[in-house]
């Protein structure tokens, strides 16, 4: 099945068939489109029945200009709101409605909704931008028709994060649990879920070979 291996001169390398490259690019593009959507909304997440959008999607910048110290900040209700105004456009304070996005952009504090909301306001846009940049790195370094991929250690770590995002998204859509391996053996090969479970296992393998190649 191949996988990643370390290069003598540093970094890692792997070779992908055209079909393998197509799968990775399609799934990464879907995650990219989902993450690039408005907070709580988005495009088609990877999963049975989903279509693969193109590699488009734009990074979410901080949005808007930072207001001056006077005027706009004067009527805000708390110091945190003042900071948000000075930084520009704060993000949402509630987790996304889409379960895949909620998995990709989790609350920082599970037992403290208020603290989680405040933390999310100042970090979600940056987290989205990081995930978009990781997805774009994969699309930029993986040829559409497959072939050899050679990555620096830095790009390899970015690949690791992007592959993990795809696995998380698939895991939510496929409802991956501890007994998923057993359930997958019982699936009819014609069931579309069987193909996605195979892809999930393959992505897990790729991640493992990438980790071993790096460390």
């Amino acid at each position: 099945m191949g996988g990643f291996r370390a290069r003598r001169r540093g970094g890692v390398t792997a070779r992908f068939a055209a079909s393998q490259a197509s799968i990775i690019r399609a799934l990464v593009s879907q995650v990219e489109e989902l993450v690039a959507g408005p907070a709580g909304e988005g495009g088609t997440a990877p999963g049975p029945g989903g279509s693969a959008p193109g590699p488009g999607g734009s990074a979410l910048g901080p949005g808007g200009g930072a207001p001056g110290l006077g005027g706009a900040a004067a009527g805000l209700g708390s110091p945190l709101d003042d900071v948000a105004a000075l930084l520009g456009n704060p993000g949402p304070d509630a987790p996304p409605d889409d379960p895949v996005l909620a998995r990709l952009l989790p609350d920082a504090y599970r037992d403290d909704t208020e603290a989680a909301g405040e933390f999310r306001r100042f970090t979600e846009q940056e987290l989205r931008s990081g995930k978009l940049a990781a997805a774009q790195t994969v699309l930029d370094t993986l040829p559409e028709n497959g072939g050899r991929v050679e990555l620096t250690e830095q790009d390899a770590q970015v690949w690791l994060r992007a592959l993990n995002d795809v696995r998380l998204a698939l895991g939510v859509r496929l409802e991956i649990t501890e007994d998923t391996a057993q359930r997958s053996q019982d699936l009819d090969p014609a069931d579309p879920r069987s193909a996605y479970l195979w892809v999930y296992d393959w992505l897990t393998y790729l991640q493992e070979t990438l980790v071993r190649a790096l460390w």
Side-chain angles (χ1 to χ4, degrees):
M1 191 182 290
F4 287 94
R5 59 182 178 83
R7 296 188 303 174
R8 290 183 179 179
R9 60 182 182 276
V12 302
T13 184
R15 181 176 292 278
F16 296 97
S19 58
Q20 294 172 327
S22 177
I23 290 172
I24 295 174
R25 290 181 62 89
L27 293 174
V28 168
S29 294
Q30 289 182 46
V31 170
E32 183 182 46
E33 181 175 292
L34 182 69
V35 172
E41 300 176 11
T44 302
S51 59
S58 57
L60 296 179
L69 292 177
L76 297 177
S78 74
L80 284 175
D81 287 334
D82 292 346
V83 172
L86 291 173
L87 291 176
N89 182 22
D93 59 5
D97 294 328
D98 186 293
V100 172
L101 269 180
R103 185 70 178 89
L104 294 175
L105 306 167
D107 277 337
Y109 306 100
R110 295 184 178 180
D111 300 327
D112 190 332
T113 303
E114 184 176 353
E118 291 294 347
F119 186 83
R120 180 180 294 277
R121 291 177 65 198
F122 299 105
T123 61
E124 181 171 304
Q125 290 183 353
E126 182 178 356
L127 182 58
R128 284 177 181 258
S129 295
K131 291 182 181 298
L132 291 171
Q136 194 59 52
T137 294
V138 173
L139 296 174
D140 289 343
T141 54
L142 177 60
E144 293 185 18
N145 296 322
R148 182 166 296 282
V149 172
E150 296 188 346
L151 304 173
T152 64
E153 181 176 337
Q154 181 179 358
D155 282 345
Q157 292 180 8
V158 173
W159 263 67
L160 211 53
R161 295 196 295 271
L163 290 175
N164 190 58
D165 284 344
V166 172
R167 287 185 64 253
L168 289 176
L170 277 175
V172 172
R173 286 292 187 249
L174 296 173
E175 299 180 346
I176 298 292
T177 62
E178 292 182 358
D179 68 338
T180 296
Q182 181 60 46
R183 290 194 298 109
S184 65
Q185 296 175 6
D186 298 333
L187 284 177
D188 187 319
D191 190 319
R193 290 174 298 172
S194 63
Y196 279 97
L197 286 171
W198 180 90
V199 170
Y200 182 87
D201 289 341
W202 177 59
L203 291 173
T204 301
Y205 166 78
L206 280 182
Q207 272 194 300
E208 291 174 350
T209 62
L210 186 49
V211 169
R212 287 198 299 268
L214 282 171
W215 291 285

